[in-house]
């Protein structure tokens, strides 16, 4: 069982050692300001909101009206999260930086838990568990989509917690809320690589920011931590309509790009996180639920064709039960909290198999970075994946082209 790093008796780091950076497309909106208020309740040193273009002035007006003196506001010309993060980094004056999405709700107890691992200088980044903020009185359609989103986060929490116990690894420190040492972010080498990552040797990649930073920490000998604790639980929102499928497609493309880079280009995870590599990273290329489950059942019938009928039926029931249990265990925590959702279990099983189609489509469209689920997010989508000049591609072999040549 995962045990988070406990709170120290005499902590060196406090909330006043923390600056929170929120990259946002918005300069106003109830969800954004609710997020800011929940963060301010934890008493960080300050919040830096980085928005886009003309939204800066609107954000300043609202912050003034709400008397939010601890919120500084900046903007960039293009809506790109990496550029927004880089815009904030030179302004940070504290030892710890936390990046947060603009649709999260923090518990008032969050910061001590996120700071606890960073008391140890060997740790460079800290993530936390996440739950879906459930809609109030949703109709059946919204409830089903919300249920699928809640299971996505539940499965991710399970993977992160189990990998952390076994080998200290993580698939990714999620950018929804994540803490880093500011000294790492200020490193000119980091800034350059962060703003010049290449994909396939043909594109400059300006998406997948949290995946990049996780890889950077691992490859530079920094330990990472995951604080799975109720008092460190961040609430977030996901689409509760068919746009959730577009979110799944975006996440799947990001997983393909990042995990291929981690396994076959960077390579550090094979040494530092062998179990995580097997249990999480490799599943990107090896796990196809419908194909493998069908194959297992075919093999069973081929093997058991000479068995008596009773033995064959019992064997099939055991196989199907094992397949079901292996998928259900990761989600058990959700059903303990919301037993009524057990009625929707068939939906999750069908969607699990359908997700293989999403994953397959994502595999053949890795140069696409569109969100498709948020207004204004794709106004400058072409900036997230920029084709580099042919001259820059010359002289590289296959592995060099795959592995971000410089």
């Amino acid at each position: 069982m995962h045990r988070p790093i406990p709170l120290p008796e005499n902590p060196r780091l406090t909330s006043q050692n923390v600056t929170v950076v929120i990259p946002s497309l918005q300069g106003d909106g109830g969800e954004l300001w609710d997020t800011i208020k929940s963060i301010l309740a934890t008493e960080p040193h300050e919040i830096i909101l980085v928005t886009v273009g003309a939204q800066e002035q609107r954000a300043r007006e609202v912050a003034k009206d709400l008397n939010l003196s601890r919120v500084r506001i900046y903007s960039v010309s293009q809506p790109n999260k990496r550029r927004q993060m880089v815009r904030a980094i030179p302004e940070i004056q504290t030892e710890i930086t936390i990046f947060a999405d603009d649709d999260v709700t923090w518990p008032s107890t969050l910061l001590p838990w996120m700071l606890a691992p960073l008391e140890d200088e060997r740790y460079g980044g800290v993530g936390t568990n996440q739950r879906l903020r459930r809609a109030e009185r949703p109709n059946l359609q919204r409830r089903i989509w919300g249920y699928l989103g809640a299971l996505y986060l539940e499965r991710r929490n399970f993977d992160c917690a189990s990998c952390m116990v076994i080998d200290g690894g993580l698939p990714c420190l999620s950018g929804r809320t994540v803490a880093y040492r500011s000294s790492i972010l200020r490193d000119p080498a980091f800034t350059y690589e962060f703003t010049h990552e290449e994909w396939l040797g043909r594109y400059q990649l300006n998406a997948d920011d949290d995946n990049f930073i996780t890889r950077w920490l691992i490859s530079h000998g920094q330990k990472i931590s995951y604080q799975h604790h109720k008092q460190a639980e961040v609430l977030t929102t996901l689409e509760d309509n068919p746009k959730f499928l577009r979110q799944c497609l975006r996440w799947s493309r990001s997983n393909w790009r990042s995990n291929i880079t981690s396994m076959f280009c960077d390579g550090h995870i094979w040494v530092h996180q062998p179990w995580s590599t097997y249990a999480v990273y490799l599943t990107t290329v090896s796990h196809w639920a419908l194909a493998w489950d069908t194959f297992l059942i075919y093999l069973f019938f081929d093997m058991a064709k000479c068995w008596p009928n009773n033995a064959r039926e019992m064997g099939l029931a055991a196989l199907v039960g094992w397949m079901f249990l292996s998928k259900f265990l990761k989600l058990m925590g959700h059903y303990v909290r919301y037993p009524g959702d057990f009625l929707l279990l068939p939906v999750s099983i069908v969607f699990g198999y359908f997700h293989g189609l999403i994953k397959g489509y994502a595999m053949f469209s890795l140069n696409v970075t569109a969100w498709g689920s948020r207004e204004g997010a794709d106004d400058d989508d072409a900036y997230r994946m920029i084709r580099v000049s042919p001259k820059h591609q010359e002289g590289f072999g296959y592995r060099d082209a795959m592995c971000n040549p410089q």
Side-chain angles (χ1 to χ4, degrees):
M1 180 177 293
H2 172 68
R3 293 183 179 179
I5 293 176
L7 302 182
E9 292 185 4
N10 299 299
R12 180 182 65 84
L13 297 171
T14 70
S15 63
Q16 290 304 298
N17 297 108
V18 174
T19 296
V20 182
V21 176
I22 306 176
S24 177
L25 298 174
Q26 309 299 323
D28 196 3
E31 191 171 61
L32 169 63
W33 295 106
D34 285 345
T35 293
I36 290 175
K37 289 174 183 177
S38 78
I39 294 174
L40 285 173
T42 67
E43 300 184 345
H45 175 71
E46 67 176 346
I47 294 175
I48 297 178
L49 173 65
V50 185
T51 186
V52 180
Q55 296 290 342
E56 179 182 357
Q57 183 57 36
R58 178 55 184 158
R60 291 184 183 278
E61 293 171 357
V62 175
K64 183 178 180 180
D65 291 342
L66 296 176
N67 194 28
L68 301 179
S69 59
R70 283 186 292 155
V71 179
R72 285 198 286 161
I73 300 168
Y74 300 95
S75 70
V76 295
S77 59
Q78 296 170 305
N80 180 264
K81 190 174 181 181
R82 290 204 194 200
R83 300 296 177 179
Q84 290 171 277
M85 294 163 72
V86 169
R87 173 64 185 89
I89 289 171
E91 309 297 335
I92 295 168
Q93 303 168 5
T94 56
E95 186 175 345
I96 305 300
T97 299
I98 296 182
F99 291 110
D101 281 355
D102 61 2
D103 60 352
V104 298
T105 301
W106 283 16
S108 60
T109 52
L110 177 67
L111 285 185
W113 286 97
M114 295 199 76
L115 293 174
L118 296 169
E119 294 283 337
D120 185 338
E121 294 290 336
R122 296 175 299 171
Y123 284 87
V126 180
T128 185
N129 60 309
Q130 303 154 9
R131 304 279 182 214
L132 183 73
R133 187 189 303 128
R134 289 169 73 91
E136 297 182 6
R137 299 184 181 87
N139 59 31
L140 179 60
Q141 184 185 60
R142 290 186 66 198
R143 183 181 176 188
I144 290 174
W145 290 115
Y147 164 73
L148 293 175
L151 293 190
Y152 163 79
L153 294 175
E154 187 71 29
R155 190 178 295 109
R156 190 185 186 284
N157 288 338
F158 183 95
D159 286 341
C160 290
S162 58
C163 288
M164 183 58 57
V165 168
I166 295 173
D167 65 4
L170 279 180
C172 174
L173 287 168
S174 171
R176 290 187 182 92
T177 294
V178 58
Y180 302 111
R181 293 194 185 280
S182 301
S183 58
I184 295 172
L185 305 177
R186 295 191 192 106
D187 181 355
F190 168 84
T191 302
Y192 179 84
E193 296 293 340
F194 189 57
T195 54
H196 292 80
E197 182 181 4
E198 292 184 12
W199 167 247
L200 297 179
R202 297 191 298 244
Y203 302 95
Q204 179 179 318
L205 180 63
N206 290 310
D208 311 340
D209 53 277
D210 47 6
N211 287 299
F212 175 91
I213 302 178
T214 303
R215 288 197 307 272
W216 179 273
L217 294 177
I218 295 169
S219 64
H220 287 73
Q222 296 284 330
K223 296 184 70 174
I224 56 179
S225 181
Y226 175 75
Q227 294 290 76
H228 192 283
H229 192 279
K230 182 65 177 177
Q231 293 185 350
E233 185 174 280
V234 173
L235 297 181
T236 187
T237 60
L238 299 176
E239 295 291 344
D240 56 1
N241 53 61
K243 289 182 180 180
F244 177 70
L245 299 177
R246 297 179 183 178
Q247 285 187 315
C248 290
L249 181 59
R250 176 169 60 88
W251 295 330
S252 188
R253 286 172 176 146
S254 179
N255 285 338
W256 274 109
R257 287 190 295 259
S258 180
N259 291 352
I260 286 174
T261 301
S262 294
M263 288 188 293
F264 305 121
C265 303
D266 183 85
H268 289 85
I269 59 171
W270 296 96
V271 175
H272 298 292
Q273 302 177 3
W275 171 259
S276 299
T277 303
Y278 160 74
V280 179
Y281 290 92
L282 275 173
T283 59
T284 300
V285 296
S286 66
H287 183 67
W288 303 88
L290 182 60
W292 281 115
D293 287 359
T294 302
F295 186 54
L296 284 174
I297 292 175
Y298 165 78
L299 289 179
F300 171 80
F301 277 108
D302 185 63
M303 176 192 69
K305 57 187 175 185
C306 298
W307 292 10
N309 287 340
N310 287 344
R312 188 163 57 245
E313 291 173 0
M314 291 178 61
L316 179 61
L319 174 61
V320 172
W322 173 78
M323 292 163 62
F324 169 79
L325 189 62
S326 66
K327 296 174 173 59
F328 178 76
L329 282 176
K330 288 186 177 184
L331 309 175
M332 187 176 296
H334 176 83
Y335 295 113
V336 170
R337 287 188 299 276
Y338 307 107
D341 282 0
F342 196 81
L343 296 174
L344 297 175
L345 180 61
V347 176
S348 72
I349 294 173
V350 173
F351 184 78
Y353 291 122
F354 174 75
H355 190 270
L357 299 178
I358 297 176
K359 178 179 173 181
Y361 181 74
M363 179 178 63
F364 291 104
S365 55
L366 297 181
N367 63 327
V368 178
T369 56
W371 280 51
S373 61
R374 188 168 185 178
E375 184 178 355
D378 295 325
D379 289 350
D380 286 275
D381 178 56
Y383 188 69
R384 296 196 191 106
M385 185 82 78
I386 304 172
R387 184 113 188 175
V388 299
S389 65
K391 181 179 179 180
H392 189 69
Q393 302 173 30
E394 294 175 359
F396 299 109
Y398 173 77
R399 185 182 183 281
D400 291 327
M402 286 289 291
C403 300
N404 304 334
Q406 298 294 338

